[in-house]
Amino acid sequence: QVQLVESGGGLVQPGGSLRLSCVASGLTLGHYSIGWFRQAPGKEREAVSCISSGGYPTYTADSVKGRFTISRDYAKNTVYLQMDSLKPEDRAVYYCAADTRGYGSRYDQEYNYWGQGTQVTVSS
């Protein structure tokens, strides 16, 4: 059974940092591209950052450029999203997703597997 599990979310003050992790079971993440998406209350889900199966970042949303970094650890079967200089508008549920095609699409409909999400709240 394929499962993606996100962790690392929580409450942080503006300007703070969090590192989200996406751990997979039932599949080898190195064979998949991984996308981090988020959905804020009342808004559509949007792509935040994506990375190819080869480890190359393929997409970063303009709203997070220079603040968020995606990376992957093949040995740990884990993909990370380092989030720095967090802003209140970064508040959302963050999801990781896996795509068998491997090229790191920014389009959520192209992803095959999804995690359950982790809440990120940025507030003073």
Side-chain angles (χ1 to χ4, degrees), residues 44-75:
E44 292 188 355
R45 185 165 59 193
E46 63 174 350
V48 176
S49 189
C50 306
I51 191 166
S52 70
S53 57
Y56 299 99
T58 56
Y59 174 77
T60 302
D62 287 343
S63 58
V64 306
K65 279 181 181 176
R67 301 189 298 121
F68 290 13
T69 304
I70 192 170
S71 62
R72 60 194 311 162
D73 186 326
Y74 293 96

Side-chain angles (χ1 to χ4, degrees), residues 2-106:
V2 174
Q3 194 172 19
L4 299 178
V5 179
E6 304 95 336
S7 63
L11 173 64
V12 64
Q13 292 185 343
S17 297
L18 288 172
R19 188 176 77 160
L20 304 184
S21 300
C22 174
V23 180
S25 59
L27 59 83
T28 302
L29 277 185
H31 297 165
Y32 297 78
S33 59
I34 302 297
W36 282 100
F37 296 81
R38 69 185 181 185
Q39 188 165 21
K43 295 188 177 181
E44 292 188 355
R45 185 165 59 193
E46 63 174 350
V48 176
S49 189
C50 306
I51 191 166
S52 70
S53 57
Y56 299 99
T58 56
Y59 174 77
T60 302
D62 287 343
S63 58
V64 306
K65 279 181 181 176
R67 301 189 298 121
F68 290 13
T69 304
I70 192 170
S71 62
R72 60 194 311 162
D73 186 326
Y74 293 96
K76 295 183 178 179
N77 214 28
T78 301
V79 175
Y80 303 99
L81 184 68
Q82 178 67 41
M83 306 188 297
D84 299 318
S85 302
L86 282 159
K87 303 176 180 181
E89 52 263 42
D90 295 318
R91 177 195 177 204
V93 178
Y94 284 71
Y95 301 89
C96 68
D99 174 15
T100 56
R101 278 163 289 201
Y103 57 78
S105 171
R106 60 175 287 193

